[in-house]
Amino acid sequence: MTGEEAVVTTTTDHDATVISLHGEVDEDGAPFLARALVRAASAGLPRTVVDLSGAPFVDSSVLHALLDAQRAHAAAGALLVLAGPLHTAVRRLFEVTGSAPAFRMADSVTTAMTC
């Protein structure tokens, strides 16, 4: 994929880990996301928010990492929330794969912190 280089950042906001994606995230950037999600699931905080608003494109490797993280968070008794607004290509990935119901989604990081 051509475009912005993928960047994955992690911060803590109150009782949540916030993982933000910036740029186009594909199989090259997905391992960085997967590692951040594993750390978040084991951090002991009750909520992880994945901010997808800065990612105009993600591929199935990102979806795979998110599905694995959903299972890990559920096993740890933590909540995983995906935050938007989602770009069209990202929203389409969830629609085409039928995976949207597997996730709690919010319109923004602010909303994701309380839903």
Side-chain angles (χ1 to χ4, degrees), residues 20-43:
S20 300
L21 279 63
H22 301 280
E24 297 180 351
V25 186
D26 58 16
E27 70 274 0
D28 294 331
F32 297 105
L33 171 62
R35 282 192 291 276
L37 288 164
V38 166
R39 284 191 302 271
S42 63

Side-chain angles (χ1 to χ4, degrees), residues 27-87:
E27 70 274 0
D28 294 331
F32 297 105
L33 171 62
R35 282 192 291 276
L37 288 164
V38 166
R39 284 191 302 271
S42 63
L45 294 176
R47 177 182 309 259
T48 298
V49 175
V50 181
D51 180 4
L52 297 170
S53 65
F57 171 85
V58 299
D59 72 2
S60 61
S61 60
V62 170
L63 179 58
H64 181 75
L66 291 170
L67 288 166
D68 285 348
Q70 178 63 21
R71 287 187 288 275
H73 278 75
L79 185 61
L80 179 70
V81 183
L82 307 184
L86 302 179
H87 289 263

